Amino acid sequence: MPLHINRLTLSHFRSHLHVLLDADARPVVLYGPNGAGKTNLIEAVSLFSPGRGMRRASAQDMTRRPEGLGWKVGGLVETPDGLQDIAFQSENGAPRQVRINDKPAPQTRLGELVRLLWLLPSMDRLWIEGAEGRRRFLDRMTLSFFPSHGDVSLTYEKAMRERNRLLKEQVRDPMWYKALETQMAQSGAAIHSNRLKTLRRIAHAQNQASTQFPAAELELIQTEGEMPETEGDLCQALEESRFRDLAAGRTLVGPHRADLYGVFAAKGVPAADSSTGEQKALLISLVLSNARALVEDIGAAPIVLLDEVAAHLDAGRRAALYDEICALGAQAWMTGTGPELFAELGDRAQYFEVTESNQGTSIFPRSSL
Ligand SMILES: Nc1ncnc2c1ncn2[C@@H]1O[C@H](COP(=O)(O)OP(=O)(O)OP(=O)(O)O)[C@@H](O)[C@H]1O
Ligand SMILES: [Mg+2]
């Protein structure tokens, strides 16, 4: 059974007052004018994966204004583990609560049940902007293969925040540093190893596929200096870096300094020097490869969120993308301003028109063109 959302409900989420959307396993097309609430809808879907959602917004930002009371998002989700009733809720701006089948649930369980990937217009400059965006993109792929990646990342970040606090306060007690560095080395080595395994899975999936989308050669690099790989190396590197880190007031070594280097394989040109369209094609290609690898690993394609993906593709590339999504059997949620952008999908997808009114937004199921 393909992984998909059967029913999505929103209450007081961003511009949406109340939404009930019934869907089947096919790709979901959301079209409507600018500002109608399409991206807000797929942001709600992005919450079905661990983390803060695709905009990294706070629960407070997601609360519908002007009421500002809180919000709810719910879904009946068909997963390889059966049908799950998943609900998220935030009251008065408090961090969101996750419930699965009416019981509080940890994020890792959510990550095991729902594999989810996204591509947003803000990622168009991913290859040319700072390392953070690329690291996040890599970690999102990694999380789709290793649901525990979220937890080790949180452990690492928490210990690093503590260590950075010591550094800022110019604390020099080696015992304090050692305790935190041990935690950082443990979780940091796991982060590194998960990322490397992910890159191998992606490379393998790219090599296996016949696709119209270009392959990317990917390499994990360090923004500066050496990359400690094992727990022992990381422990030692952190200890050796203390003096330098005290001067900087923050930790200068570890997996939080990693970067993803990409090359447009067919031309041997770095992704950052490729054309705008080529850069986008590389990202699409990586998401599709990731999805193919997941079909092999867990027997189901991930849910994929593609915000305004059609706008940047010519008709041929668009048709190729839709064919690949349908072949994968992925419930891809796609947005665009008009239905004509999705003509090549025909009745392989389901269509919803999103419109704004003073009652909030409305969503109407539409037949295909
Ligand atoms: N917390 C909030 N409360 C109420 N409205 C909000 C909130 N956050 C965002 N909005 C509004 O939601 C509206 C719809 O935004 P959204 O990004 O979903 O539009 P869209 O349909 O994707 O448009 P486009 O085609 O331009 O991408 C915006 O006008 C924005 O001001
Ligand atoms: Mg939008």
Side-chain angles (χ1 to χ4, degrees), residues 10 35 49 132 149 186 273:
L10 269 55
S49 179
E132 196 185 346
H149 191 65
Q186 253 170 20
D273 297 334

Side-chain angles (χ1 to χ4, degrees), residues 62-129:
M62 296 176 195
T63 303
R64 187 171 196 271
R65 290 186 301 266
E67 307 91 286
L69 299 172
W71 53 265
K72 280 186 199 166
V73 169
L76 290 177
V77 188
E78 199 69 66
T79 75
D81 271 6
L83 188 69
Q84 314 286 335
D85 182 349
I86 304 180
F88 310 95
Q89 177 167 6
S90 161
E91 270 166 31
N92 298 316
R96 67 168 187 175
Q97 312 273 315
V98 185
R99 294 180 78 83
I100 301 178
N101 301 325
D102 231 6
K103 291 192 195 73
Q107 296 259 346
T108 307
R109 181 64 187 142
L110 191 60
E112 284 164 2
L113 288 171
V114 185
R115 316 292 170 120
L116 203 147
L117 299 166
W118 57 69
L119 268 189
L120 314 177
S122 59
M123 290 158 72
D124 286 355
R125 296 174 59 80
L126 186 102
W127 297 111
I128 45 184
E129 284 179 347

Side-chain angles (χ1 to χ4, degrees), residues 167-282:
L167 294 167
K168 276 207 193 76
E169 290 171 5
Q170 297 286 308
V171 174
R172 282 165 195 271
D173 180 351
M175 297 294 281
W176 280 28
Y177 283 99
K178 192 77 210 161
L180 292 170
E181 287 165 6
T182 305
Q183 285 179 34
M184 285 176 73
Q186 253 170 20
S187 49
I191 291 172
H192 183 71
S193 140
N194 288 345
R195 285 173 175 168
L196 285 183
K197 284 187 214 148
T198 297
L199 292 185
R200 279 201 292 272
R201 288 298 287 120
I202 299 279
H204 180 74
Q206 285 195 136
N207 293 338
Q208 299 279 303
S210 66
T211 162
Q212 294 221 19
F213 288 91
E217 273 161 22
L218 296 179
E219 198 187 333
L220 194 58
I221 58 169
Q222 197 74 354
T223 43
E224 92 185 50
E226 295 268 303
M227 177 154 47
E229 311 230 359
T230 63
E231 192 177 329
D233 287 352
L234 197 48
C235 223
Q236 192 183 343
L238 284 163
E239 184 172 338
E240 286 170 4
S241 187
R242 275 180 212 164
F243 190 66
R244 209 166 53 115
D245 292 356
L246 270 166
R250 66 200 163 93
T251 304
L252 295 174
V253 65
H256 66 287
R257 304 277 284 177
D259 192 0
L260 182 66
Y261 180 70
V263 171
F264 191 99
K267 295 190 180 176
V269 173
D273 297 334
S274 299
S275 80
T276 315
E278 286 172 339
Q279 292 186 30
K280 183 87 180 190
L282 285 177

Side-chain angles (χ1 to χ4, degrees), residues 14-15 32-41 55 60-65 307-308 337 356:
R14 292 222 188 245
S15 56
N34 295 135
K38 306 177 295 293
T39 302
N40 292 345
L41 263 175
R55 278 180 175 138
Q60 178 100 53
D61 288 337
M62 296 176 195
T63 303
R64 187 171 196 271
R65 290 186 301 266
D307 197 14
E308 279 175 52
T337 47
E356 231 198 324

